Amino acid sequence: MQPNSGTVFNIGERYEALKFLGAGAYGAVIKARDKKTNQLVAIKRLHKIEDIIDAKRILREIRILRLFKHENIINLQNIIFHEDGNFGEIYLVTNLMEIDLYTVIKNKQELTDVHIQFIIYQILRALLYLHSANIIHRDLKPSNILATENVDVQLCDFGLSRAIDFSQDENRTEYVVTRYYRAPEIMLAHEYSEAVDLWSVGCTMAELIIGKVLFKGENYIQQIKLILDTLGKPQDLSFVTNTNARKFLDTLPDKPSKPLTSIVKYDNEEAMDLLTKLLKVNPKERITAAEALAHPYLKDFYTPGDEPVFQGETDFKFENDHKLNLEDIELMIIDEINIFKEMNKEPKIDKEKYIKLFKEKSNKK
């Protein structure tokens, strides 16, 4: 099946491709009809695996979507594995959401204060659930927050998500989160926690209010300067663990923070208070998902003790296992797909076939 995009979708007989929805760095998405259930679905064709980074991203996304079931997280309904003589094409079938927050903001859709409250509440409850399993989304932005006409929202695109391994003092990659939504510590420390997601929530909330990107730097240096020019340079810079970043900050003048009202005009004081607490430059001072949910701004939606947290076990040891090669991760992807297929009583992929294929490739080298 080939939608108008020109991208070929080998999705079998069960699904009817209807409309191309868009493409991003990690895949292309179509709207389709599930002939078995007669429901509309979204099907994401993951880009071909080129290296171990791609493979880990795909394994990460499938495992997270398989394990994490929450009203505000996209629901994985099926995985299609199309064999192509190499490793194969992978398609993720999920529930269909009509739009995303990027589209809502771009189209200048009018949002009431209640709409914004409800959107932020849903994002935070999804983060509370993820963070309870020590998972950081790492790429939270309006285009990764899907929505319906009733402003029900769900988080998607977990390919950059990461488990926090508290047993290791690791430097984490800076290449996370689109620049405009990137927390200062990602650029200044390379060591970070769940707090990066809360910064992204703050940037998204501000954008919903003012209808445009809050901090729009042309590069990461300008991004930092924009943030500090507005919010001030913190006196406590202990979170800046990167030596070069600390030297850079020392060259910048000490500027007192301006109130957010200087750039975000909004007449709800509780909203502005929550926004201020989300956009703290020092991550140690930033509000957590649990604290944000309990903020007075969300009192009409949040009930203490009523939000689900993750129950179960996660295994993301592959993230830091440097002994694994590309083929090892590809076999783990097959295992992950087979676990999902077994849960849904569907035929599994013949793993032995790929073990043999990889051996043959290795012998030819």
Side-chain angles (χ1 to χ4, degrees), residues 25-29 43-47 53-69 73-76 78-79 90-94 130 135-137 139 144 146 155-163 315-316 318-319 329 333 336-337 340:
Y26 305 117
V29 184
I43 303 180
K44 178 180 179 180
R45 182 186 191 274
L46 300 178
H47 286 330
I53 295 172
D54 289 340
K56 283 187 175 184
R57 173 180 46 75
I58 287 172
L59 175 58
R60 190 184 300 132
E61 180 158 26
I62 295 174
R63 185 165 291 180
I64 285 173
L65 289 177
R66 177 178 68 81
L67 288 171
F68 295 149
K69 301 300 179 185
I73 293 174
I74 199 77
N75 179 38
L76 182 63
N78 198 5
I79 304 174
I90 301 172
Y91 300 83
L92 305 182
V93 183
T94 66
L130 286 173
I135 295 291
I136 318 173
H137 187 285
D139 195 24
N144 282 346
L146 304 178
L155 307 190
C156 70
D157 281 354
F158 290 88
L160 288 178
S161 298
R162 191 70 184 268
D315 180 3
F316 290 89
F318 69 87
E319 299 280 12
I329 300 296
I333 290 171
E336 195 65 36
I337 294 173
F340 183 87

Short mmCIF file of all heavy atoms in Angstrom, two decimals, residues 25-29 43-47 53-69 73-76 78-79 90-94 130 135-137 139 144 146 155-163 315-316 318-319 329 333 336-337 340:
data_model
loop_
_atom_site.label_atom_id
_atom_site.label_comp_id
_atom_site.label_asym_id
_atom_site.label_seq_id
_atom_site.Cartn_x
_atom_site.Cartn_y
_atom_site.Cartn_z
N ALA A 25 11.76 12.55 11.98
CA ALA A 25 13.13 12.04 11.96
C ALA A 25 13.17 10.52 12.08
O ALA A 25 14.13 9.89 11.62
CB ALA A 25 13.92 12.67 13.10
N TYR A 26 12.15 9.92 12.68
CA TYR A 26 12.23 8.49 12.99
C TYR A 26 11.17 7.63 12.32
O TYR A 26 11.11 6.44 12.56
CB TYR A 26 12.19 8.29 14.51
CG TYR A 26 13.25 9.08 15.22
CD1 TYR A 26 12.92 10.08 16.12
CD2 TYR A 26 14.59 8.86 14.96
CE1 TYR A 26 13.91 10.84 16.74
CE2 TYR A 26 15.58 9.60 15.57
CZ TYR A 26 15.23 10.58 16.47
OH TYR A 26 16.21 11.33 17.08
N GLY A 27 10.33 8.23 11.47
CA GLY A 27 9.33 7.41 10.81
C GLY A 27 8.28 8.22 10.10
O GLY A 27 8.25 9.45 10.19
N ALA A 28 7.43 7.52 9.34
CA ALA A 28 6.31 8.14 8.64
C ALA A 28 5.02 7.52 9.16
O ALA A 28 4.99 6.34 9.54
CB ALA A 28 6.44 7.90 7.14
N VAL A 29 3.94 8.30 9.18
CA VAL A 29 2.69 7.86 9.79
C VAL A 29 1.52 8.01 8.81
O VAL A 29 1.41 9.02 8.11
CB VAL A 29 2.37 8.66 11.08
CG1 VAL A 29 1.11 8.12 11.76
CG2 VAL A 29 3.54 8.60 12.05
N ILE A 43 -0.70 4.19 11.80
CA ILE A 43 0.38 3.21 11.58
C ILE A 43 1.67 3.97 11.30
O ILE A 43 1.76 4.76 10.37
CB ILE A 43 0.07 2.24 10.43
CG1 ILE A 43 -1.26 1.50 10.69
CG2 ILE A 43 1.21 1.25 10.25
CD1 ILE A 43 -1.64 0.51 9.61
N LYS A 44 2.66 3.72 12.14
CA LYS A 44 3.96 4.39 12.02
C LYS A 44 4.97 3.42 11.45
O LYS A 44 5.22 2.36 12.03
CB LYS A 44 4.41 4.89 13.39
CG LYS A 44 5.78 5.56 13.42
CD LYS A 44 6.10 6.00 14.85
CE LYS A 44 7.45 6.66 14.95
NZ LYS A 44 7.74 7.08 16.35
N ARG A 45 5.51 3.77 10.28
CA ARG A 45 6.57 2.97 9.66
C ARG A 45 7.90 3.48 10.18
O ARG A 45 8.29 4.61 9.90
CB ARG A 45 6.52 3.10 8.13
CG ARG A 45 7.55 2.27 7.39
CD ARG A 45 7.49 2.62 5.91
NE ARG A 45 8.26 1.70 5.09
CZ ARG A 45 9.56 1.80 4.84
NH1 ARG A 45 10.25 2.79 5.37
NH2 ARG A 45 10.17 0.91 4.07
N LEU A 46 8.58 2.66 10.96
CA LEU A 46 9.87 3.07 11.52
C LEU A 46 10.94 3.05 10.44
O LEU A 46 10.95 2.17 9.57
CB LEU A 46 10.27 2.14 12.67
CG LEU A 46 9.29 2.08 13.86
CD1 LEU A 46 9.79 1.10 14.90
CD2 LEU A 46 9.10 3.45 14.48
N HIS A 47 11.83 4.03 10.49
CA HIS A 47 12.89 4.08 9.49
C HIS A 47 13.80 2.86 9.60
O HIS A 47 13.94 2.25 10.67
CB HIS A 47 13.72 5.36 9.66
CG HIS A 47 13.01 6.60 9.19
ND1 HIS A 47 12.09 6.58 8.17
CD2 HIS A 47 13.09 7.90 9.59
CE1 HIS A 47 11.64 7.80 7.96
NE2 HIS A 47 12.22 8.63 8.81
N ILE A 53 22.60 2.74 17.19
CA ILE A 53 21.80 3.82 17.80
C ILE A 53 20.36 3.72 17.34
O ILE A 53 19.42 3.81 18.14
CB ILE A 53 22.40 5.20 17.46
CG1 ILE A 53 23.78 5.36 18.09
CG2 ILE A 53 21.47 6.33 17.91
CD1 ILE A 53 24.53 6.60 17.67
N ASP A 54 20.16 3.49 16.03
CA ASP A 54 18.80 3.30 15.51
C ASP A 54 18.14 2.09 16.16
O ASP A 54 16.96 2.14 16.54
CB ASP A 54 18.84 3.04 13.99
CG ASP A 54 19.22 4.27 13.19
OD1 ASP A 54 19.10 5.39 13.72
OD2 ASP A 54 19.63 4.11 12.03
N ALA A 55 18.89 0.99 16.27
CA ALA A 55 18.34 -0.24 16.82
C ALA A 55 17.91 -0.06 18.27
O ALA A 55 16.83 -0.51 18.68
CB ALA A 55 19.37 -1.37 16.71
N LYS A 56 18.74 0.62 19.05
CA LYS A 56 18.40 0.85 20.46
C LYS A 56 17.16 1.75 20.58
O LYS A 56 16.33 1.55 21.46
CB LYS A 56 19.58 1.49 21.20
CG LYS A 56 20.68 0.51 21.56
CD LYS A 56 21.74 1.14 22.44
CE LYS A 56 22.77 0.13 22.90
NZ LYS A 56 23.76 0.71 23.83
N ARG A 57 17.06 2.73 19.70
CA ARG A 57 15.90 3.63 19.73
C ARG A 57 14.61 2.86 19.47
O ARG A 57 13.61 3.05 20.16
CB ARG A 57 16.08 4.74 18.69
CG ARG A 57 14.87 5.63 18.51
CD ARG A 57 15.13 6.72 17.48
NE ARG A 57 15.74 6.21 16.27
CZ ARG A 57 15.10 5.52 15.34
NH1 ARG A 57 13.84 5.23 15.48
NH2 ARG A 57 15.73 5.12 14.25
N ILE A 58 14.65 1.94 18.50
CA ILE A 58 13.47 1.15 18.18
C ILE A 58 13.14 0.19 19.31
O ILE A 58 11.97 0.04 19.72
CB ILE A 58 13.68 0.41 16.85
CG1 ILE A 58 13.61 1.42 15.69
CG2 ILE A 58 12.66 -0.70 16.65
CD1 ILE A 58 14.00 0.85 14.35
N LEU A 59 14.15 -0.49 19.85
CA LEU A 59 13.93 -1.41 20.97
C LEU A 59 13.32 -0.65 22.15
O LEU A 59 12.36 -1.10 22.79
CB LEU A 59 15.24 -2.07 21.38
CG LEU A 59 15.21 -2.97 22.62
CD1 LEU A 59 14.21 -4.10 22.46
CD2 LEU A 59 16.62 -3.52 22.92
N ARG A 60 13.87 0.53 22.43
CA ARG A 60 13.40 1.38 23.53
C ARG A 60 11.93 1.74 23.35
O ARG A 60 11.11 1.60 24.27
CB ARG A 60 14.26 2.63 23.55
CG ARG A 60 14.11 3.52 24.75
CD ARG A 60 14.97 4.77 24.54
NE ARG A 60 16.38 4.46 24.37
CZ ARG A 60 17.14 4.95 23.41
NH1 ARG A 60 16.64 5.75 22.49
NH2 ARG A 60 18.42 4.65 23.36
N GLU A 61 11.57 2.20 22.16
CA GLU A 61 10.20 2.64 21.93
C GLU A 61 9.20 1.49 22.04
O GLU A 61 8.16 1.61 22.68
CB GLU A 61 10.07 3.31 20.56
CG GLU A 61 8.65 3.78 20.27
CD GLU A 61 8.56 4.88 19.23
OE1 GLU A 61 9.46 4.97 18.38
OE2 GLU A 61 7.59 5.63 19.27
N ILE A 62 9.53 0.35 21.44
CA ILE A 62 8.62 -0.80 21.49
C ILE A 62 8.45 -1.28 22.93
O ILE A 62 7.34 -1.56 23.39
CB ILE A 62 9.12 -1.95 20.59
CG1 ILE A 62 9.08 -1.52 19.12
CG2 ILE A 62 8.26 -3.20 20.79
CD1 ILE A 62 9.70 -2.52 18.16
N ARG A 63 9.56 -1.36 23.66
CA ARG A 63 9.47 -1.85 25.05
C ARG A 63 8.65 -0.91 25.93
O ARG A 63 7.83 -1.36 26.73
CB ARG A 63 10.88 -2.03 25.63
CG ARG A 63 10.88 -2.66 27.01
CD ARG A 63 12.26 -3.16 27.40
NE ARG A 63 12.65 -4.32 26.58
CZ ARG A 63 13.81 -4.95 26.70
NH1 ARG A 63 14.70 -4.56 27.61
NH2 ARG A 63 14.10 -5.98 25.94
N ILE A 64 8.86 0.38 25.77
CA ILE A 64 8.10 1.34 26.57
C ILE A 64 6.61 1.26 26.24
O ILE A 64 5.76 1.20 27.15
CB ILE A 64 8.63 2.78 26.36
CG1 ILE A 64 9.96 2.94 27.11
CG2 ILE A 64 7.64 3.83 26.83
CD1 ILE A 64 10.68 4.25 26.86
N LEU A 65 6.28 1.21 24.96
CA LEU A 65 4.86 1.15 24.58
C LEU A 65 4.22 -0.17 25.00
O LEU A 65 3.03 -0.22 25.30
CB LEU A 65 4.71 1.37 23.07
CG LEU A 65 4.99 2.78 22.57
CD1 LEU A 65 4.87 2.85 21.06
CD2 LEU A 65 4.06 3.80 23.22
N ARG A 66 5.00 -1.24 25.02
CA ARG A 66 4.46 -2.52 25.47
C ARG A 66 4.19 -2.52 26.97
O ARG A 66 3.16 -3.03 27.44
CB ARG A 66 5.43 -3.66 25.12
CG ARG A 66 4.95 -5.03 25.63
CD ARG A 66 5.91 -6.13 25.24
NE ARG A 66 7.20 -6.06 25.91
CZ ARG A 66 7.45 -6.49 27.14
NH1 ARG A 66 6.47 -6.98 27.90
NH2 ARG A 66 8.67 -6.41 27.64
N LEU A 67 5.10 -1.92 27.72
CA LEU A 67 5.01 -1.99 29.18
C LEU A 67 4.07 -0.94 29.79
O LEU A 67 3.39 -1.21 30.78
CB LEU A 67 6.40 -1.81 29.80
CG LEU A 67 7.38 -2.97 29.65
CD1 LEU A 67 8.76 -2.53 30.11
CD2 LEU A 67 6.90 -4.17 30.44
N PHE A 68 4.03 0.25 29.19
CA PHE A 68 3.35 1.37 29.85
C PHE A 68 1.96 1.59 29.26
O PHE A 68 1.82 2.00 28.10
CB PHE A 68 4.18 2.65 29.73
CG PHE A 68 5.49 2.57 30.46
CD1 PHE A 68 6.60 3.25 30.00
CD2 PHE A 68 5.62 1.80 31.60
CE1 PHE A 68 7.80 3.17 30.68
CE2 PHE A 68 6.81 1.71 32.28
CZ PHE A 68 7.91 2.39 31.82
N LYS A 69 0.97 1.32 30.07
CA LYS A 69 -0.43 1.48 29.68
C LYS A 69 -1.06 2.57 30.54
O LYS A 69 -1.21 2.41 31.75
CB LYS A 69 -1.20 0.16 29.84
CG LYS A 69 -0.62 -0.99 29.01
CD LYS A 69 -0.65 -0.67 27.51
CE LYS A 69 -0.05 -1.79 26.67
NZ LYS A 69 0.03 -1.43 25.23
N ILE A 73 -1.01 8.09 27.40
CA ILE A 73 0.12 7.60 26.61
C ILE A 73 -0.46 6.82 25.43
O ILE A 73 -1.40 6.03 25.61
CB ILE A 73 1.05 6.71 27.45
CG1 ILE A 73 1.75 7.55 28.52
CG2 ILE A 73 2.09 6.01 26.57
CD1 ILE A 73 2.59 6.75 29.50
N ILE A 74 0.07 7.05 24.24
CA ILE A 74 -0.45 6.40 23.04
C ILE A 74 -0.48 4.88 23.26
O ILE A 74 0.43 4.31 23.87
CB ILE A 74 0.41 6.78 21.81
CG1 ILE A 74 -0.34 6.51 20.51
CG2 ILE A 74 1.74 6.12 21.83
CD1 ILE A 74 -1.39 7.52 20.18
N ASN A 75 -1.53 4.23 22.75
CA ASN A 75 -1.75 2.81 23.02
C ASN A 75 -1.30 1.95 21.84
O ASN A 75 -1.83 2.07 20.73
CB ASN A 75 -3.24 2.57 23.30
CG ASN A 75 -3.54 1.11 23.56
OD1 ASN A 75 -2.76 0.42 24.20
ND2 ASN A 75 -4.66 0.63 23.05
N LEU A 76 -0.31 1.11 22.07
CA LEU A 76 0.18 0.20 21.04
C LEU A 76 -0.81 -0.95 20.86
O LEU A 76 -1.06 -1.72 21.78
CB LEU A 76 1.56 -0.34 21.43
CG LEU A 76 2.24 -1.28 20.43
CD1 LEU A 76 2.52 -0.55 19.12
CD2 LEU A 76 3.54 -1.84 21.02
N ASN A 78 -0.83 -3.04 17.78
CA ASN A 78 -0.28 -4.14 17.00
C ASN A 78 1.11 -3.76 16.51
O ASN A 78 1.46 -2.58 16.43
CB ASN A 78 -1.20 -4.44 15.80
CG ASN A 78 -0.92 -5.81 15.20
OD1 ASN A 78 -0.12 -6.59 15.71
ND2 ASN A 78 -1.57 -6.11 14.08
N ILE A 79 1.92 -4.76 16.20
CA ILE A 79 3.23 -4.56 15.57
C ILE A 79 3.27 -5.40 14.31
O ILE A 79 3.01 -6.61 14.36
CB ILE A 79 4.39 -4.97 16.50
CG1 ILE A 79 4.32 -4.21 17.84
CG2 ILE A 79 5.73 -4.70 15.82
CD1 ILE A 79 5.34 -4.68 18.87
N ILE A 90 9.49 -2.46 10.31
CA ILE A 90 8.68 -2.50 11.52
C ILE A 90 7.65 -1.39 11.49
O ILE A 90 7.97 -0.23 11.21
CB ILE A 90 9.56 -2.37 12.79
CG1 ILE A 90 10.58 -3.50 12.83
CG2 ILE A 90 8.69 -2.38 14.06
CD1 ILE A 90 11.61 -3.36 13.93
N TYR A 91 6.39 -1.75 11.76
CA TYR A 91 5.29 -0.80 11.80
C TYR A 91 4.60 -0.90 13.16
O TYR A 91 4.31 -2.00 13.63
CB TYR A 91 4.25 -1.11 10.71
CG TYR A 91 4.80 -1.08 9.31
CD1 TYR A 91 5.47 -2.18 8.77
CD2 TYR A 91 4.63 0.05 8.51
CE1 TYR A 91 5.97 -2.16 7.48
CE2 TYR A 91 5.13 0.08 7.21
CZ TYR A 91 5.79 -1.02 6.69
OH TYR A 91 6.28 -0.98 5.42
N LEU A 92 4.35 0.25 13.77
CA LEU A 92 3.64 0.29 15.05
C LEU A 92 2.23 0.78 14.80
O LEU A 92 2.01 1.87 14.26
CB LEU A 92 4.36 1.22 16.03
CG LEU A 92 5.84 0.93 16.30
CD1 LEU A 92 6.39 1.89 17.34
CD2 LEU A 92 6.05 -0.52 16.74
N VAL A 93 1.25 -0.03 15.18
CA VAL A 93 -0.16 0.33 15.02
C VAL A 93 -0.69 0.83 16.36
O VAL A 93 -0.60 0.13 17.38
CB VAL A 93 -1.00 -0.88 14.56
CG1 VAL A 93 -2.46 -0.48 14.33
CG2 VAL A 93 -0.41 -1.49 13.29
N THR A 94 -1.21 2.05 16.38
CA THR A 94 -1.72 2.65 17.62
C THR A 94 -3.11 3.22 17.38
O THR A 94 -3.58 3.29 16.25
CB THR A 94 -0.80 3.79 18.12
OG1 THR A 94 -0.85 4.87 17.17
CG2 THR A 94 0.63 3.32 18.29
N LEU A 130 5.27 7.85 34.02
CA LEU A 130 6.58 7.52 33.46
C LEU A 130 7.68 7.65 34.50
O LEU A 130 8.54 6.77 34.65
CB LEU A 130 6.89 8.43 32.28
CG LEU A 130 6.17 8.18 30.96
CD1 LEU A 130 6.48 9.30 29.98
CD2 LEU A 130 6.56 6.82 30.37
N ILE A 135 11.59 6.57 34.12
CA ILE A 135 11.72 6.81 32.69
C ILE A 135 11.53 8.30 32.42
O ILE A 135 10.56 8.91 32.88
CB ILE A 135 10.67 6.01 31.88
CG1 ILE A 135 10.91 4.51 32.03
CG2 ILE A 135 10.69 6.42 30.41
CD1 ILE A 135 12.17 3.99 31.37
N ILE A 136 12.48 8.89 31.67
CA ILE A 136 12.36 10.28 31.23
C ILE A 136 11.94 10.25 29.76
O ILE A 136 12.50 9.48 28.97
CB ILE A 136 13.70 11.03 31.34
CG1 ILE A 136 14.43 10.71 32.63
CG2 ILE A 136 13.50 12.53 31.19
CD1 ILE A 136 15.84 11.30 32.68
N HIS A 137 10.99 11.08 29.39
CA HIS A 137 10.58 11.11 27.98
C HIS A 137 11.70 11.68 27.11
O HIS A 137 12.02 11.14 26.07
CB HIS A 137 9.30 11.94 27.81
CG HIS A 137 8.73 11.87 26.43
ND1 HIS A 137 9.29 12.54 25.37
CD2 HIS A 137 7.67 11.20 25.91
CE1 HIS A 137 8.60 12.29 24.27
NE2 HIS A 137 7.61 11.47 24.57
N ASP A 139 11.93 14.04 25.01
CA ASP A 139 11.65 14.75 23.76
C ASP A 139 10.24 15.31 23.77
O ASP A 139 9.51 15.25 22.77
CB ASP A 139 11.85 13.82 22.55
CG ASP A 139 11.92 14.60 21.24
OD1 ASP A 139 12.27 15.79 21.27
OD2 ASP A 139 11.63 14.01 20.18
N ASN A 144 4.81 16.19 19.85
CA ASN A 144 4.80 14.84 20.43
C ASN A 144 3.69 14.67 21.46
O ASN A 144 3.68 13.70 22.22
CB ASN A 144 6.15 14.53 21.09
CG ASN A 144 7.21 14.15 20.07
OD1 ASN A 144 6.89 13.88 18.92
ND2 ASN A 144 8.45 14.14 20.49
N LEU A 146 -0.18 14.36 21.28
CA LEU A 146 -1.33 14.19 20.39
C LEU A 146 -2.61 14.62 21.10
O LEU A 146 -2.70 14.58 22.33
CB LEU A 146 -1.43 12.73 19.95
CG LEU A 146 -0.17 12.15 19.29
CD1 LEU A 146 -0.38 10.69 18.93
CD2 LEU A 146 0.20 12.95 18.05
N LEU A 155 0.79 11.30 25.09
CA LEU A 155 2.19 11.46 24.71
C LEU A 155 2.57 10.36 23.71
O LEU A 155 2.07 9.23 23.80
CB LEU A 155 3.11 11.35 25.93
CG LEU A 155 2.83 12.26 27.13
CD1 LEU A 155 4.00 12.17 28.11
CD2 LEU A 155 2.56 13.68 26.72
N CYS A 156 3.44 10.70 22.77
CA CYS A 156 3.93 9.71 21.81
C CYS A 156 5.41 9.91 21.57
O CYS A 156 6.04 10.76 22.20
CB CYS A 156 3.14 9.81 20.50
SG CYS A 156 3.48 11.30 19.54
N ASP A 157 5.97 9.14 20.66
CA ASP A 157 7.38 9.22 20.26
C ASP A 157 8.33 9.04 21.46
O ASP A 157 8.89 9.99 21.99
CB ASP A 157 7.68 10.54 19.55
CG ASP A 157 7.23 10.51 18.09
OD1 ASP A 157 6.81 9.43 17.64
OD2 ASP A 157 7.30 11.54 17.42
N PHE A 158 8.52 7.77 21.82
CA PHE A 158 9.37 7.44 22.96
C PHE A 158 10.75 6.93 22.55
O PHE A 158 11.47 6.35 23.35
CB PHE A 158 8.67 6.39 23.84
CG PHE A 158 7.46 6.94 24.56
CD1 PHE A 158 6.22 6.93 23.95
CD2 PHE A 158 7.59 7.50 25.82
CE1 PHE A 158 5.10 7.46 24.60
CE2 PHE A 158 6.48 8.03 26.48
CZ PHE A 158 5.24 8.01 25.87
N GLY A 159 11.12 7.19 21.30
CA GLY A 159 12.41 6.69 20.82
C GLY A 159 13.60 7.31 21.50
O GLY A 159 14.68 6.74 21.53
N LEU A 160 13.43 8.52 22.07
CA LEU A 160 14.54 9.17 22.78
C LEU A 160 14.41 9.03 24.29
O LEU A 160 15.22 9.57 25.04
CB LEU A 160 14.62 10.65 22.41
CG LEU A 160 15.14 10.96 21.00
CD1 LEU A 160 15.11 12.46 20.75
CD2 LEU A 160 16.54 10.43 20.80
N SER A 161 13.37 8.34 24.74
CA SER A 161 13.18 8.18 26.18
C SER A 161 14.34 7.39 26.77
O SER A 161 15.04 6.66 26.08
CB SER A 161 11.86 7.46 26.46
OG SER A 161 10.77 8.22 25.99
N ARG A 162 14.50 7.52 28.07
CA ARG A 162 15.66 6.88 28.70
C ARG A 162 15.32 6.48 30.13
O ARG A 162 14.69 7.23 30.86
CB ARG A 162 16.85 7.83 28.71
CG ARG A 162 18.17 7.20 29.11
CD ARG A 162 18.68 6.23 28.03
NE ARG A 162 19.91 5.58 28.46
CZ ARG A 162 21.13 6.02 28.20
NH1 ARG A 162 21.30 7.14 27.54
NH2 ARG A 162 22.19 5.35 28.59
N ALA A 163 15.77 5.29 30.50
CA ALA A 163 15.66 4.87 31.90
C ALA A 163 16.79 5.51 32.68
O ALA A 163 17.92 5.60 32.20
CB ALA A 163 15.73 3.35 32.00
N ASP A 315 13.30 -3.29 32.27
CA ASP A 315 14.68 -3.73 32.03
C ASP A 315 15.23 -2.95 30.85
O ASP A 315 14.85 -3.18 29.70
CB ASP A 315 14.72 -5.23 31.74
CG ASP A 315 16.13 -5.75 31.49
OD1 ASP A 315 17.09 -4.95 31.60
OD2 ASP A 315 16.28 -6.94 31.17
N PHE A 316 16.12 -2.01 31.14
CA PHE A 316 16.76 -1.22 30.09
C PHE A 316 18.28 -1.31 30.22
O PHE A 316 18.99 -0.36 29.91
CB PHE A 316 16.28 0.24 30.16
CG PHE A 316 14.84 0.39 29.75
CD1 PHE A 316 13.82 0.29 30.69
CD2 PHE A 316 14.51 0.62 28.43
CE1 PHE A 316 12.49 0.40 30.32
CE2 PHE A 316 13.18 0.75 28.05
CZ PHE A 316 12.17 0.65 28.99
N PHE A 318 20.24 -2.81 28.40
CA PHE A 318 20.91 -2.75 27.10
C PHE A 318 21.45 -1.36 26.79
O PHE A 318 22.37 -1.21 25.99
CB PHE A 318 19.94 -3.19 25.99
CG PHE A 318 18.80 -2.22 25.72
CD1 PHE A 318 18.97 -1.17 24.83
CD2 PHE A 318 17.59 -2.36 26.36
CE1 PHE A 318 17.94 -0.27 24.58
CE2 PHE A 318 16.54 -1.48 26.12
CZ PHE A 318 16.72 -0.43 25.23
N GLU A 319 20.87 -0.33 27.43
CA GLU A 319 21.31 1.04 27.17
C GLU A 319 22.80 1.22 27.45
O GLU A 319 23.49 1.94 26.72
CB GLU A 319 20.53 2.03 28.06
CG GLU A 319 19.02 2.05 27.84
CD GLU A 319 18.61 2.87 26.63
OE1 GLU A 319 19.49 3.23 25.84
OE2 GLU A 319 17.42 3.14 26.49
N ILE A 329 21.20 -6.34 19.33
CA ILE A 329 20.04 -5.48 19.57
C ILE A 329 18.89 -5.85 18.64
O ILE A 329 17.72 -5.87 19.05
CB ILE A 329 20.41 -3.99 19.40
CG1 ILE A 329 21.51 -3.59 20.38
CG2 ILE A 329 19.19 -3.10 19.61
CD1 ILE A 329 21.13 -3.66 21.84
N ILE A 333 15.12 -6.89 19.57
CA ILE A 333 13.89 -6.31 18.99
C ILE A 333 12.93 -7.42 18.61
O ILE A 333 11.72 -7.34 18.87
CB ILE A 333 14.23 -5.43 17.77
CG1 ILE A 333 14.96 -4.17 18.21
CG2 ILE A 333 12.96 -5.07 17.00
CD1 ILE A 333 15.52 -3.34 17.05
N GLU A 336 11.34 -8.73 21.64
CA GLU A 336 10.34 -7.78 22.15
C GLU A 336 9.05 -7.88 21.34
O GLU A 336 7.94 -7.90 21.91
CB GLU A 336 10.91 -6.36 22.06
CG GLU A 336 10.15 -5.33 22.86
CD GLU A 336 10.22 -5.57 24.35
OE1 GLU A 336 11.27 -6.03 24.86
OE2 GLU A 336 9.20 -5.31 25.02
N ILE A 337 9.17 -7.95 20.02
CA ILE A 337 7.98 -8.09 19.17
C ILE A 337 7.27 -9.41 19.46
O ILE A 337 6.04 -9.47 19.53
CB ILE A 337 8.38 -7.99 17.68
CG1 ILE A 337 8.89 -6.58 17.36
CG2 ILE A 337 7.18 -8.33 16.78
CD1 ILE A 337 9.47 -6.43 15.96
N PHE A 340 5.15 -9.29 22.56
CA PHE A 340 3.90 -8.59 22.26
C PHE A 340 2.95 -9.51 21.48
O PHE A 340 1.76 -9.59 21.78
CB PHE A 340 4.18 -7.32 21.47
CG PHE A 340 2.96 -6.50 21.18
CD1 PHE A 340 2.51 -5.55 22.09
CD2 PHE A 340 2.24 -6.68 20.00
CE1 PHE A 340 1.37 -4.80 21.83
CE2 PHE A 340 1.10 -5.93 19.73
CZ PHE A 340 0.66 -4.99 20.65
#
